[in-house]
Amino acid sequence: MVKIVYIDLEFKDKKIGEKIYKQPTEIGYAWFSNKKHLNFKHYQFDYNEKHELVLKLLKEVIEEAKNKYNFDTLIFWDNRQDIKIIAEAKVDLSKFKIEDIQEDIANLTNNHRLSLEVINKLFNLPQQLENELKHLSEEEKKLLKLHTALGDSTRIAIIHKNFKENQNKFINQIKTIQKISESSPKNSKVIKTKSSEKSVDLKIKQALLKKSILQNIPLKIEQIKGIKEGILLLLGMETLSEEERQLEEQILKEHKYYQLVKTLQEKNYDVRGFTGELLKINRFLKINFDLTIKDLYDSYSKKSDN
């Protein structure tokens, strides 16, 4: 019998000497019991502890969960960075089947990697969590906020449950919203789906318009590596301490690729979905801004030459 656990890691950058590491700050995991009840656990790690010690504690948490509940399948929402951290913690990943439900959905919706924020709103996940966890106190429910390890892991569990129970309906709803988003006037504040007559506000429309990238950008390998590095730097600096803020100012001055991805983000470009598909052109970027990634790269190359 397959035993699935839904996992989310939260982490921050930590500078040690000249290197920057991803320091886990918390892990949440959720699972459905044999009675189909949603269960979860949550652990926090001290950011001020040594990086090696935190990784050791992370490994202990995952191995304890494996041994206690006999989990054999790990499911994430965008597992790329989480897997790197877990592998760095020397967890034996060969013992698990690993799935990325965000990627599964993207493959069925024309490679559109949707953010958890969009799915959260589109499928009203807070209400679904409320229905699943009625037994919790109001204080306990406060722990289930979006962008916390516990809040995200339980949302991933709900998403996967919906996906498995009625995959066609789930995927068709996303595709319908995407098609309407693409065909609607830019200034439209509300989109209505024919199938459900539900309104989707402008924020969801904009997020759905952030598409993954289509093919044939003439970039050199070193440019691709540099842009990817810039994106990873950007994603690691979303919540900044004062020390990290000073580091970002230094990077902005010295790292043209970091400047590039900041511009992409400001132009409503989904940099999270960009790292895995650097050899494709973003149709949305071309249609809406008449720009390609190469145009942006060239503009920064000229600036750095002057």
Side-chain angles (χ1 to χ4, degrees), residues 206-207 209-214 217 227 231 234-235 260-275 277-286 289 291-293 296:
Q206 289 173 333
L209 283 171
K210 292 181 179 179
K211 298 182 183 177
S212 62
I213 317 168
L214 301 169
I217 267 198
I227 294 171
I231 290 168
L234 177 73
L235 297 182
L260 169 60
V261 294
K262 288 283 278 191
T263 300
L264 283 169
Q265 188 183 54
E266 288 163 4
K267 291 185 177 294
N268 200 37
Y269 190 82
D270 184 8
V271 295
R272 289 180 182 276
F274 184 58
T275 52
E277 302 179 33
L278 279 168
L279 296 177
K280 300 177 182 179
I281 294 177
N282 185 335
R283 183 182 292 162
F284 169 69
L285 192 64
K286 181 65 178 174
F289 301 109
L291 287 170
T292 66
I293 300 165
L296 292 175

Side-chain angles (χ1 to χ4, degrees), residues 203-233:
K203 187 173 181 181
I204 289 184
K205 177 186 173 182
Q206 289 173 333
L208 286 168
L209 283 171
K210 292 181 179 179
K211 298 182 183 177
S212 62
I213 317 168
L214 301 169
Q215 222 156 4
N216 297 326
I217 267 198
L219 289 177
K220 298 176 182 177
I221 293 297
E222 61 268 22
Q223 294 171 346
I224 292 168
K225 289 179 179 177
I227 294 171
K228 185 170 183 178
E229 180 185 345
I231 290 168
L232 293 175
L233 284 168

Side-chain angles (χ1 to χ4, degrees), residues 12 17 23 54 87 95-96 111-112 118 129 135 151 153 171 214 228 240 258 266:
K12 290 176 63 177
Q23 176 97 329
V54 172
K95 295 179 179 179
F96 302 96
N111 278 333
H112 292 64
V118 169
L129 275 177
H135 60 283
S153 61
I171 294 302
L214 301 169
K228 185 170 183 178
L240 301 177
Y258 185 76
E266 288 163 4

Side-chain angles (χ1 to χ4, degrees), residues 22 32 52 99-100 111 139 151 162 192 248 261 285 297:
K22 300 297 181 187
F32 289 101
E52 295 80 5
E99 293 183 31
D100 183 344
N111 278 333
E139 283 301 311
N162 290 347
K192 288 191 175 179
E248 183 182 43
V261 294
L285 192 64
Y297 172 78

Side-chain angles (χ1 to χ4, degrees), residues 53-300:
L53 178 58
V54 172
L55 291 180
K56 181 181 177 183
L57 293 172
L58 173 63
K59 180 180 180 181
E60 289 174 0
V61 169
I62 294 175
E63 289 187 343
E64 179 189 21
K66 160 73 176 169
N67 295 334
K68 186 172 182 178
Y69 301 107
N70 201 28
F71 297 130
D72 56 19
T73 303
L74 311 181
I75 295 185
F76 300 81
W77 184 270
D78 191 358
N79 67 12
R80 290 168 290 188
Q81 191 59 63
D82 291 17
I83 286 294
K84 287 180 183 178
I85 294 172
I86 293 171
E88 188 184 359
K90 298 181 180 177
V91 174
D92 185 358
L93 291 171
S94 66
K95 295 179 179 179
F96 302 96
K97 179 182 178 183
I98 298 170
E99 293 183 31
D100 183 344
I101 187 66
Q102 186 198 48
E103 184 177 11
D104 291 344
I105 293 169
N107 289 336
L108 293 169
T109 55
N110 197 26
N111 278 333
H112 292 64
R113 273 187 172 268
L114 299 179
S115 69
L116 197 56
E117 295 98 319
V118 169
I119 294 291
N120 185 61
K121 199 161 190 178
L122 190 59
F123 292 94
N124 195 11
L125 297 185
Q127 184 58 55
Q128 292 196 53
L129 275 177
E130 176 79 21
N131 295 341
E132 289 281 352
L133 301 169
K134 291 178 181 177
H135 60 283
L136 296 184
S137 68
E138 291 305 312
E139 283 301 311
E140 288 173 316
K141 289 175 183 177
K142 289 179 182 178
L143 299 174
L144 300 174
K145 292 180 181 178
L146 191 64
H147 298 317
T148 65
L150 195 55
D152 288 1
S153 61
T154 50
R155 280 170 172 78
I156 296 166
I158 298 294
I159 292 167
H160 190 252
K161 179 182 178 183
N162 290 347
F163 182 71
K164 288 299 181 185
E165 286 180 351
N166 199 333
Q167 180 175 312
N168 289 339
K169 180 180 178 181
F170 187 91
I171 294 302
N172 286 338
Q173 187 167 350
I174 292 173
K175 283 184 174 180
T176 299
I177 297 299
Q178 287 171 337
K179 287 177 183 177
I180 295 173
S181 297
E182 292 166 15
S183 61
S184 297
K186 290 183 184 178
N187 295 326
S188 173
K189 291 187 177 180
V190 176
I191 310 165
K192 288 191 175 179
T193 68
K194 293 180 180 178
S195 58
S196 63
E197 296 299 317
K198 290 183 179 179
S199 297
V200 182
D201 66 18
L202 184 59
K203 187 173 181 181
I204 289 184
K205 177 186 173 182
Q206 289 173 333
L208 286 168
L209 283 171
K210 292 181 179 179
K211 298 182 183 177
S212 62
I213 317 168
L214 301 169
Q215 222 156 4
N216 297 326
I217 267 198
L219 289 177
K220 298 176 182 177
I221 293 297
E222 61 268 22
Q223 294 171 346
I224 292 168
K225 289 179 179 177
I227 294 171
K228 185 170 183 178
E229 180 185 345
I231 290 168
L232 293 175
L233 284 168
L234 177 73
L235 297 182
M237 291 193 163
E238 291 182 336
T239 305
L240 301 177
S241 66
E242 186 54 40
E243 182 182 357
E244 290 167 334
R245 198 174 302 282
Q246 293 172 4
L247 178 62
E248 183 182 43
E249 288 177 6
Q250 179 183 342
I251 291 171
L252 278 169
K253 292 175 183 176
E254 300 176 358
H255 201 301
K256 61 186 177 186
Y257 297 110
Y258 185 76
Q259 296 171 335
L260 169 60
V261 294
K262 288 283 278 191
T263 300
L264 283 169
Q265 188 183 54
E266 288 163 4
K267 291 185 177 294
N268 200 37
Y269 190 82
D270 184 8
V271 295
R272 289 180 182 276
F274 184 58
T275 52
E277 302 179 33
L278 279 168
L279 296 177
K280 300 177 182 179
I281 294 177
N282 185 335
R283 183 182 292 162
F284 169 69
L285 192 64
K286 181 65 178 174
I287 290 173
N288 290 277
F289 301 109
D290 197 28
L291 287 170
T292 66
I293 300 165
K294 187 174 186 301
D295 294 329
L296 292 175
Y297 172 78
D298 286 344
S299 71
Y300 279 108

